[in-house]
Amino acid sequence: MTDYLYIFYDVCVVGIILITLYGGSKRGFLRSAVYAILIVAAFFVSWFGAEALSPLIYDSFIHETVIDTLTESASANNPVTIVSDAVTSGDYGTSVSDSEIGELISEASDFFNDLAATLRENGSQSSASSIASGVESSVTSEVESILFSDYIINALETLGAATGDMSEVVNVFLTGSAEETAATAETEIVRPIIELFLKIIVFLVLLCVLRLIINPVSNMFKFVNKVPVIGALNVLLGAILGAVEGLVTVYGLALVIRLVVNVSGDSLIFLNTETIELTYIFKFFYELNLIG
């Protein structure tokens, strides 16, 4: 049964569009035209409003808390210990002292490759590239878990291309102060992710508010339906314009589902990327990125 859950998405898309198409045909051409224009206008007003408001909301209510939390997390952990643990867990056949790691952190221009060279000099039989990549991967994973919540890590895995460079955060964590680490992590990782979520939320809120205005305004044009026109054409054009409402509604629904999938780490039974990828219609709206 669960293998066919994806069908529900496409059924909903078709249902929403058919309902709005029917509503448009009942409204008639001019009233539907006004309604469609207002829907599209509401969409773009919400879009640009989200672009403008999300950074303001972030800076006013979130930024300071994020910096304080990241600074506290970074200052509570010793980079030397984290690198030492990564070397030990990597089982490279030799070891390196904490003092050597400290010297490499303070002096090396290419820390992970220089660390690999040191381990090779100490007798490791592993290749320099495998040591460097292995230690870097382990340290990166540990730094992520130290600095970021599970929600941010889940979003980072899903939206990595939309964020900054995690390797830069690791580099600053190893060589810089806790304050510098916090500033880099906030700029490169946390801000892009949270601002994207804020854009989606603000967009949907604005769209819902503007929708409350649309119906009363479009109802002012009811009288036009009483004017004799070519009936079939009136119905047809009204239906086509009414479908615009359905497309916008489906896209808004897709934004909400994308937000839930990202925050949940793509782990829910029904709301996950694997299920959505099986759909024929809904995945187009889900993958359409107009406000990111």
Side-chain angles (χ1 to χ4, degrees):
M1 181 67 178
T2 56
D3 293 339
Y4 298 97
L5 284 176
Y6 69 92
I7 296 175
F8 176 78
Y9 285 102
D10 286 339
V11 170
C12 285
V13 171
V14 173
I16 289 172
I17 293 177
L18 286 177
I19 289 171
T20 54
L21 187 148
Y22 173 76
S25 68
K26 295 292 288 184
R27 285 190 295 265
F29 172 66
L30 182 57
R31 192 173 161 216
S32 290
V34 172
Y35 196 88
I37 291 171
L38 292 174
I39 285 287
V40 172
F43 179 89
F44 283 106
V45 169
S46 300
W47 178 3
F48 289 113
E51 290 282 349
L53 291 176
S54 57
L56 294 177
I57 294 172
Y58 180 88
D59 289 332
S60 300
F61 302 103
I62 301 174
H63 175 265
E64 187 174 344
T65 300
V66 168
I67 290 293
D68 291 343
T69 301
L70 290 172
T71 301
E72 182 179 353
S73 298
S75 61
N77 293 272
N78 186 346
V80 172
T81 301
I82 292 174
V83 173
S84 179
D85 291 343
V87 172
T88 301
S89 64
D91 192 21
Y92 299 111
T94 187
S95 61
V96 60
S97 68
D98 287 357
S99 61
E100 287 180 298
I101 293 174
E103 289 178 6
L104 288 173
I105 287 176
S106 61
E107 298 175 1
S109 58
D110 189 353
F111 171 73
F112 292 108
N113 284 326
D114 288 349
L115 175 65
T118 299
L119 286 171
R120 291 275 296 170
E121 291 172 1
N122 291 351
S124 175
Q125 298 302 306
S126 302
S127 67
S129 60
S130 66
I131 295 173
S133 62
V135 174
E136 183 174 9
S137 176
S138 179
V139 169
T140 298
S141 178
E142 185 64 21
V143 171
E144 284 183 354
S145 66
I146 287 170
L147 295 179
F148 308 128
S149 67
D150 290 340
Y151 295 120
I152 293 295
I153 293 174
N154 290 335
L156 177 60
E157 292 174 353
T158 306
L159 307 171
T163 63
D165 189 355
M166 186 62 201
S167 63
E168 178 64 19
V169 177
V170 172
N171 181 60
V172 176
F173 176 80
L174 293 175
T175 62
S177 65
E179 290 76 14
E180 291 171 332
T181 299
T184 303
E186 187 272 340
T187 300
E188 295 286 333
I189 306 298
V190 180
R191 175 183 283 269
I193 290 173
I194 295 181
E195 281 196 358
L196 177 59
F197 288 162
L198 286 174
K199 285 178 186 177
I200 294 173
I201 293 170
V202 172
F203 171 82
L204 294 174
V205 169
L206 289 175
L207 191 60
C208 288
V209 171
L210 291 173
R211 282 287 301 273
L212 297 177
I213 303 172
I214 290 174
N215 280 329
V217 173
S218 65
N219 285 340
M220 295 170 58
F221 292 83
K222 279 184 177 180
F223 72 92
V224 178
N225 288 345
K226 299 178 182 180
V227 177
V229 293
I230 302 175
L233 182 60
N234 189 46
V235 170
L236 175 61
L237 294 178
I240 293 173
L241 292 176
V244 174
E245 178 190 2
L247 296 174
V248 174
T249 301
V250 172
Y251 181 66
L253 178 63
L255 288 176
V256 174
I257 292 176
R258 191 196 306 173
L259 178 62
V260 173
V261 169
N262 290 333
V263 171
S264 66
D266 211 10
S267 61
L268 300 180
I269 294 176
F270 181 59
L271 299 171
N272 60 74
T273 304
E274 183 178 358
T275 300
I276 293 170
E277 283 297 321
L278 294 173
T279 64
Y280 298 100
I281 304 173
F282 182 77
K283 66 181 178 182
F284 169 79
F285 296 93
Y286 184 82
E287 295 170 356
L288 185 62
N289 187 9
L290 296 178
I291 67 172

